[in-house]
Amino acid sequence: MERLEGKRAIVTGAGSGIGRAIALRLASEGARVTLADIDEGAAKKVAAEIGDETLVQKTDVTKPDDVKALVSRVLSEWGGLDVMVNNAGIGIAATAPDTSEEDFDRVMSVNVRGTFLGMKFAIPAIRDSGGGSVVNMSSIAALVGLTDRAAYCAAKGAILAMTRAAAVDHVGEGVRVNCIAPGTVETPWVTRITAGYDDPEEARARMQARQPHGRFVQPEEIAAMAAYLASDEAASVIGACMVVDGGMTAR
Ligand SMILES: NC(=O)c1ccc[n+]([C@@H]2O[C@H](COP(=O)([O-])OP(=O)(O)OC[C@H]3O[C@@H](n4cnc5c(N)ncnc54)[C@H](O)[C@@H]3O)[C@@H](O)[C@H]2O)c1
């Protein structure tokens, strides 16, 4: 029997990068996956890669009605929810003085409000389905000061704090809440960030070199951690921040 057989999962931001890899991995381990993304076309492409037993729901995680509808759809189509992966997030490269108020609000909204809404609507659904797992996507930006990432560090720090709060609130209901703190992962997001520097290749090399294993983390490596946290093997992992960073924060 597959490790995630019978589990009904939602992955937000499933149309690209880490979310795509998580959706593929959960499905490969036997879960039924609902792919939620603001970019419906991208999510549909990933669903086609997976094949059957998927749902695609266009979702803006900053909008309560969207997230509520997402969870409701899974409950009505599959009769319950076992795993919620709050992965959708955005980042910008800037110091605090260089960050506009609008960009700060946008980064906080997608990351923090999005994760909050995901937990707000998914936790009761998971509890009423007999218990399960919430996996939030933080970052090593929550743990160390990254240059040029003031708003992003704030947002990912908030996700870590909210993960711990929710973990203790809901452990008695059979809902485990954890987060993952990836280092720099090779996704379209990294390409967009490095494109904003004068010398994108130099920025790319610098981002790889800051990880002691000398390369980008691969999305599949984050997906492996998400699958573990989603599984019953992680039954005693509660309120944890699982670092997958090539040793970056070990220095
Ligand atoms: N790539 C990295 O180095 C890295 C490191 C640490 C943490 N993370 C986090 O991992 C998550 C995924 O990042 P990625 O690198 O795969 O990015 P990505 O840009 O490749 O994918 C993000 C996905 O989220 C979707 N999305 C954006 N805004 C949305 C919204 N409002 N509602 C729903 N979907 C939305 C996008 O359409 C896209 O499909 C993010 O939370 C990011 O902060 C990434």
Side-chain angles (χ1 to χ4, degrees), residues 15-247:
S16 175
I18 293 171
R20 170 184 170 275
I22 292 174
L24 289 169
R25 176 71 187 244
L26 298 187
S28 79
E29 293 206 33
R32 277 179 285 173
V33 183
T34 295
L35 300 101
D37 205 295
I38 199 166
D39 183 345
E40 190 180 18
K44 280 187 172 159
K45 279 191 195 148
V46 179
E49 285 185 76
I50 293 173
D52 54 8
E53 291 269 56
T54 55
L55 297 173
V56 172
Q57 178 91 358
K58 183 176 167 64
T59 308
D60 180 345
V61 297
T62 69
K63 295 191 172 149
D65 288 350
D66 277 21
V67 183
K68 200 173 176 182
L70 169 67
V71 172
S72 297
R73 182 165 176 217
V74 175
L75 294 180
S76 69
E77 300 230 8
W78 291 344
L81 177 67
D82 308 289
V83 176
M84 179 72 179
V85 182
N86 291 306
N87 163 78
I90 57 166
I92 55 157
T95 62
D98 290 342
T99 300
S100 69
E101 292 87 332
E102 292 74 22
D103 277 350
F104 180 83
D105 289 347
R106 201 165 53 89
V107 169
M108 294 302 278
S109 183
V110 179
N111 288 285
V112 185
R113 184 178 160 90
T115 300
F116 156 69
L117 291 173
M119 292 204 294
K120 179 176 171 62
F121 294 111
I123 286 174
I126 295 174
R127 179 196 62 212
D128 295 347
S129 305
S133 169
V134 174
V135 180
N136 295 329
M137 200 53 65
S138 182
S139 163
I140 49 100
L143 307 174
V144 295
L146 293 181
T147 52
D148 267 352
R149 300 285 187 277
Y152 188 69
C153 287
K156 292 305 186 183
I159 289 174
L160 170 56
M162 200 162 45
T163 295
R164 289 179 173 146
V168 295
D169 280 340
H170 301 288
V171 61
E173 301 168 350
V175 183
R176 292 183 299 105
V177 185
N178 294 287
C179 66
I180 302 176
T184 308
V185 187
E186 192 163 29
T187 69
W189 180 79
V190 167
T191 309
R192 283 195 300 277
I193 290 272
T194 53
Y197 285 90
D198 291 341
D199 185 346
E201 272 314 306
E202 189 272 334
R204 210 180 136 78
R206 193 159 30 85
M207 285 173 98
Q208 295 191 67
R210 70 187 183 183
Q211 299 185 130
H213 71 346
R215 63 170 176 82
F216 287 119
V217 177
Q218 293 304 304
E220 293 73 22
E221 295 176 293
I222 306 302
M225 180 59 78
Y228 167 67
L229 290 173
S231 79
D232 298 339
E233 286 187 278
S236 291
V237 183
I238 291 158
C241 178
M242 310 298 272
V243 175
V244 186
D245 70 347

